[in-house]
Amino acid sequence: MEFKREPARTFLKTVSAFANYGTGEILFGVEDDGSVTGVEDVAHMRLAIENALNDSMSPVPRFSIERRVISGLPVVALTVFEGENKPYLYRGKAYRRNDTADVEVDRIEFNRLVLEGRHLTFDEVSSKEQVLSFEILGAELRERVGVETMSTDILRTLGLYTAGGGYSNAAAMLADKNALPGIDVVRFGSNISEIRDRERFIGISALSQLHGALDMYRKYYQYEVIDGALRTTRQMVPEEAFREAVANALIHRRWDIPANIQISMESGSVTVSSPGGLPSGITFGEYLSGHVSVLRNPIIANVFYRLDYVEIFGTGVERIMAAYDEMPVKPQFSVSDNLLTVELPVIDQGMALTLEEGRALSAFAQGRVLSRKEFEDMLGVSRAKAGRLLNALVARGLVRRSGSGRATRYATR
């Protein structure tokens, strides 16, 4: 709701903002602080408002004007409905609300309004890149769906190619090489100032980005425990939850923003941050409930669904939460206008390994039983460092110590 003492022409910026981004109401005869001054000639003001809308808005949005009484004084209420024929322009410019102000939208936002007005999504539009290859997509289709040979017909079926428009933006997202943003994965040490490892998956297929992120996850949040003849993989963060978070970030992100998905790997959690916030038409509560699915990039979502990486009907949050059903800690979700973040806690923070500890634990692969000296030689570290690493692994319950003195031996539990 917006208050105006009288219909000065600047109210049309507010009309543009409401028509472009969400139904709103302007009360004339009310000061900015909410005090009511009233309207002397309601009929004259209604006519002035209607003429201003018809003369200065292009196109003219759907609206209604009515007389009301507030605090015993007559006011005029203009309701502006969000429209389908976006963008709604005042003097050739589109506006949006920024707190209580009306600001002109930037070029990227203007282009989004144009697409909304044409009932198109970004991934449907023809790509600027028309020389593309699909070796990675072809291999995925062969392995997971049984499609033996990539062809133009397959690309058309997937919505990646049309005879009139050529390759779509979705095709560029899935092409082996492209000029699009990607994923930036950082493994931190004891604090965010200490970067232990970093991989950037940029300018490559969204499928390659997903697999690259999964490789980093497995490097730091999975390890094997050997007990006799049994080899068991332990997960410090459920893989299903991580895969779902990254896949959903890829299919729901805003690809027209030149920013990467950020994955922060820390000792206590993994955080996946996706550019773009929630799609329009869905609230944060609806997003968390999983009962409403608004696809920002439906073509990409359909391909990921066919490859069995996601469920297409808005169950991402539900599946992430289900992976933590039996856990004392739960994922956290947050959203802003430009960012959607999923934080996946480590199931047992005491199990989170440093880079050196992970390397040390791998020394016990294949059921090896080692003395301290053998462990020291295998890692190529000093006696003191070997002792510190062994003590840390024993304290975490990942390695057991047996014997004493020179007969002391170490093995995984």
Side-chain angles (χ1 to χ4, degrees), residues 174-243:
L174 294 168
D176 300 328
K177 301 290 183 183
N178 55 53
L180 295 168
I183 297 179
D184 190 0
V185 189
V186 178
R187 166 66 179 182
F188 293 102
S190 56
N191 58 65
I192 59 173
S193 299
E194 182 183 348
I195 296 178
R196 295 288 185 87
D197 196 2
R198 185 172 191 172
E199 291 286 352
R200 304 180 79 202
F201 307 103
I202 299 171
I204 59 176
S205 169
L207 297 169
S208 297
Q209 294 177 33
L210 174 62
H211 293 309
L214 281 167
D215 287 343
M216 282 285 281
Y217 154 82
R218 291 169 183 143
K219 183 177 181 180
Y220 293 108
Y221 295 94
Q222 285 187 359
Y223 63 95
E224 289 189 342
V225 173
I226 300 171
D227 187 2
L230 296 177
R231 182 191 298 268
T232 305
T233 299
R234 299 272 181 88
Q235 299 178 357
M236 291 182 279
V237 170
E239 180 170 332
E240 182 181 358
F242 179 80
R243 183 179 63 249

Side-chain angles (χ1 to χ4, degrees), residues 102 146 157 170 229 354 383:
D102 303 303
T157 299
T354 66
R383 177 175 180 175

Side-chain angles (χ1 to χ4, degrees), residues 56-322:
S56 301
M57 293 297 301
S58 177
V60 178
R62 187 164 64 92
F63 64 90
S64 67
I65 306 176
E66 63 178 351
R67 178 185 184 274
R68 291 185 191 164
V69 176
I70 300 177
S71 300
L73 295 172
V75 300
V76 173
L78 168 65
T79 302
V80 180
F81 299 96
E82 183 176 0
E84 294 187 355
N85 300 313
K86 301 172 183 178
Y88 291 88
L89 308 178
Y90 168 56
R91 292 185 174 177
K93 298 178 181 179
Y95 291 85
R96 63 176 175 85
R97 298 290 285 171
N98 183 14
D99 196 12
T100 59
D102 303 303
V103 298
E104 184 183 350
V105 302
D106 60 23
R107 181 182 58 81
I108 290 177
E109 194 64 34
F110 187 89
N111 290 338
R112 291 172 187 163
L113 289 172
V114 172
L115 290 181
E116 278 194 62
R118 295 170 59 194
H119 304 287
L120 291 173
T121 57
F122 178 77
D123 65 346
E124 292 178 273
V125 179
S126 294
S127 171
K128 294 178 181 178
E129 302 176 77
Q130 289 295 316
V131 180
L132 302 172
S133 62
F134 301 94
E135 294 295 326
I136 294 162
L137 175 60
E140 292 268 351
L141 289 170
R142 283 192 298 274
E143 179 182 345
R144 302 179 74 90
V145 185
V147 174
E148 291 299 327
T149 306
M150 282 291 289
S151 65
T152 302
D153 288 339
I154 295 295
L155 294 173
R156 283 177 175 169
T157 299
L158 294 175
L160 306 180
Y161 182 85
T162 62
Y167 291 122
S168 64
N169 279 329
M173 297 171 196
L174 294 168
D176 300 328
K177 301 290 183 183
N178 55 53
L180 295 168
I183 297 179
D184 190 0
V185 189
V186 178
R187 166 66 179 182
F188 293 102
S190 56
N191 58 65
I192 59 173
S193 299
E194 182 183 348
I195 296 178
R196 295 288 185 87
D197 196 2
R198 185 172 191 172
E199 291 286 352
R200 304 180 79 202
F201 307 103
I202 299 171
I204 59 176
S205 169
L207 297 169
S208 297
Q209 294 177 33
L210 174 62
H211 293 309
L214 281 167
D215 287 343
M216 282 285 281
Y217 154 82
R218 291 169 183 143
K219 183 177 181 180
Y220 293 108
Y221 295 94
Q222 285 187 359
Y223 63 95
E224 289 189 342
V225 173
I226 300 171
D227 187 2
L230 296 177
R231 182 191 298 268
T232 305
T233 299
R234 299 272 181 88
Q235 299 178 357
M236 291 182 279
V237 170
E239 180 170 332
E240 182 181 358
F242 179 80
R243 183 179 63 249
E244 192 73 28
V246 177
N248 275 277
L250 285 165
I251 66 176
H252 290 301
R253 66 157 293 165
R254 282 202 181 277
W255 284 88
D256 56 357
I257 297 177
N260 299 318
I261 294 169
Q262 301 286 332
I263 301 180
S264 300
M265 295 183 165
E266 302 178 56
S267 60
S269 65
V270 179
T271 303
V272 181
S273 298
S274 175
L278 289 173
S280 58
I282 183 172
T283 66
F284 184 52
E286 290 168 337
Y287 163 72
L288 290 178
S289 72
H291 296 149
V292 179
S293 179
V294 177
L295 298 177
R296 179 174 280 147
N297 301 293
I299 297 176
I300 291 294
N302 179 55
V303 172
F304 272 62
Y305 172 69
R306 286 172 180 260
L307 295 173
D308 200 31
Y309 287 125
V310 296
E311 289 289 341
I312 202 168
F313 299 113
T315 59
V317 172
E318 213 173 304
R319 294 175 76 182
I320 290 171
M321 294 300 293

Side-chain angles (χ1 to χ4, degrees), residues 12-25:
L12 294 168
K13 295 180 181 179
T14 308
V15 171
S16 169
F18 287 159
N20 285 323
Y21 291 100
T23 298
E25 189 173 74

